[in-house]
Amino acid sequence: MSTWGLIKTVFFTAVTVVFFFVIWIYNPFAPHEEYELPDEAEKIIGDPKSAVEGRELFKQNCTSCHSLRYDGLYLMSVTAKPEWSSIEKTQGKPILERKDGKLKVRGYFVPRDVYEAVAVSDLQNLKASLGKVPPDLSTMYLARGAGYLYNFISDPQKVLPGTSMPKLFFPEYDKEAPQKVAKIVAYLRSVNEPPAGEKAKRALMGVVTIGYFILMGALLWIYRKRILKQVGY
Ligand code: HEC
């Protein structure tokens, strides 16, 4: 191999290695935790069973201000409207879950414009009393990560000084408070994580795609002489 050929080979190998290192091992675009997360909380957040309890806690404590449209949870004041259940069924798409082997409807995904049209006065009231509309939390886990959410929900003022989001869990009065916050984060996570089977399928698809490119590259490498001859070298 000529010196030039060697340089090219080394260059392209290095670029490929750096590329896969960046996307698989150290991804600078993924959120990196800067917030402390106690071990116990981390365990709860990783447990799919906590997410089920977290959903109930979310419904009780958060839906007075926040919706989570991707999982069919809307403001309490909106779901209390008499017309709401028919709007859900006519404009929404059912969100299914598997329970004891059977498929069940756990809620309805209602398009944003439809929801906001129904909720307009409720959202305005929240804005009037809190200074801003509390955000929909559908993709908050992806945006902020577990450490931030755990710390923020435990004590909003500490993380975001001046925020109008109230502190809702007080360890001094409720021994379970830290666990409850962790369960809510587990729930927010479960909304953004594909189920285990789906995750495995996606990983497999990635491996098959990359395998295809490697195989095709290898075949081209093997046949390159013949191809070069065919094009006149
Ligand atoms: C009294 C109304 C109210 C309740 C109840 C409430 N929040 Fe909030 N929340 C807000 C407001 C207002 C904001 C916007 C804060 C800001 O940007 O300053 C907010 C923001 C947030 C954010 C985004 C923070 C960020 O960095 O942008 C998260 C996450 C959140 N709330 C989670 C929750 C959870 C979980 C609960 C239930 C345990 C809850 N909230 C209950 C009013 C509320």
Side-chain angles (χ1 to χ4, degrees), residues 132-210:
K132 71 197 278 189
V133 177
D136 181 87
L137 299 182
S138 296
T139 55
M140 204 46 88
Y141 184 86
L142 285 181
R144 303 277 194 257
Y148 178 94
L149 290 175
Y150 180 80
N151 283 280
F152 178 75
I153 299 164
S154 301
D155 194 351
Q157 288 302 331
K158 227 176 172 172
V159 177
L160 215 64
T163 182
S164 49
M165 156 107 179
K167 180 170 174 169
L168 295 158
F169 298 96
F170 297 87
E172 6 354 343
Y173 306 120
D174 177 3
K175 273 206 193 94
E176 295 275 296
Q179 288 89 329
K180 285 181 181 164
V181 173
K183 283 173 186 167
I184 290 175
V185 178
Y187 169 59
L188 294 175
R189 173 172 182 254
S190 73
V191 177
N192 289 175
E193 288 262 303
E198 178 66 18
K199 228 172 150 180
K201 235 193 275 174
R202 289 185 200 181
L204 184 67
M205 221 155 75
V207 170
V208 168
T209 309
I210 291 166

Side-chain angles (χ1 to χ4, degrees), residues 81-100:
K81 290 181 205 282
E83 69 272 25
W84 178 249
S85 87
S86 81
I87 292 171
E88 252 186 345
K89 291 192 181 94
T90 53
Q91 311 276 326
K93 226 173 73 183
I95 300 166
L96 301 173
E97 76 177 331
R98 196 171 285 281
K99 224 180 192 174
D100 311 321

Side-chain angles (χ1 to χ4, degrees), residues 3 9 13 27 58 60 126 138-139 161 180 194 197 202 212 228:
T3 319
T9 307
T13 309
N27 187 339
F58 185 92
Q60 292 158 14
L126 283 171
S138 296
T139 55
K180 285 181 181 164
R202 289 185 200 181
Y212 172 81
L228 284 177

